[in-house]
């Protein structure tokens, strides 16, 4: 997430924070903040909301994709069903093809 990374770096620089200080301020681990800042990992929606609140930004200004909220909610829902989630991860192409067949053309 380029926008999140950019805003975290700016906030860190403006406040003269180290990664450790930024992590403490945000309430996350140093490794998580480093990963978000360097686009190595994306936060879930709840975490993104927490970050936005702490750095006083609109959560939507931190995301690159307009569908991100829906994508994260879908993944969070799927993670509550580990069997379904793992099946989807292992068989992504097959599942997508099946879903496309079930959705009628517009």
């Amino acid at each position: 997430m380029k926008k999140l990374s950019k805003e975290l770096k700016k906030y860190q620089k403006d406040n003269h924070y180290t990664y450790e200080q930024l992590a403490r301020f945000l309430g996350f681990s140093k490794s998580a903040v480093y990963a978000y800042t360097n686009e190595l990992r994306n936060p879930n929606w709840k975490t993104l909301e927490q970050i936005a609140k702490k750095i006083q930004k609109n959560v939507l200004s931190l995301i690159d994709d307009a569908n991100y909220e829906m994508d994260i909610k879908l993944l969070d829902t799927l993670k509550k069903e580990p069997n379904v989630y793992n099946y989807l991860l292992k068989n992504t192409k097959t599942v997508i093809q099946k879903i496309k067949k079930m959705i009628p053309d517009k």
Side-chain angles (χ1 to χ4, degrees):
M1 297 182 73
K2 289 182 182 182
K3 288 183 180 181
L4 173 63
S5 172
K6 181 180 173 185
E7 289 298 332
L8 284 174
K9 286 176 183 176
K10 182 180 181 326
Y11 194 87
Q12 182 180 14
K13 181 180 177 186
D14 291 349
N15 291 282
H16 310 287
Y17 282 163
T18 64
Y19 278 114
E20 188 172 330
Q21 291 168 322
L22 182 60
R24 203 170 334 148
F25 171 75
L26 294 173
F28 302 114
S29 70
K30 181 180 171 183
S31 61
V33 172
Y34 179 85
Y36 301 150
T37 304
N38 291 285
E39 300 179 56
L40 301 173
R41 194 167 85 197
N42 292 330
N44 65 30
W45 188 255
K46 183 179 176 184
T47 300
L48 191 61
E49 287 176 326
Q50 291 172 328
I51 293 170
K53 185 176 180 179
K54 284 283 194 169
I55 65 172
Q56 299 178 341
K57 292 285 181 180
N58 180 311
V59 70
L60 296 177
S61 72
L62 301 178
I63 59 176
D64 303 321
D65 179 359
N67 295 320
Y68 185 76
E69 178 180 7
M70 187 59 68
D71 295 344
I72 292 300
K73 286 181 179 179
L74 174 62
L75 285 174
D76 286 345
T77 301
L78 284 171
K79 285 180 181 178
K80 292 176 185 173
E81 297 292 336
N83 292 336
V84 175
Y85 180 74
N86 290 327
Y87 179 81
L88 178 61
L89 288 178
K90 291 178 185 172
N91 303 288
T92 305
K93 288 182 182 180
T94 304
V95 171
I96 290 172
Q97 289 171 352
K98 288 179 181 180
I99 291 171
K100 285 181 178 180
K101 288 180 182 177
M102 291 187 288
I103 299 173
D105 291 335
K106 293 181 179 180

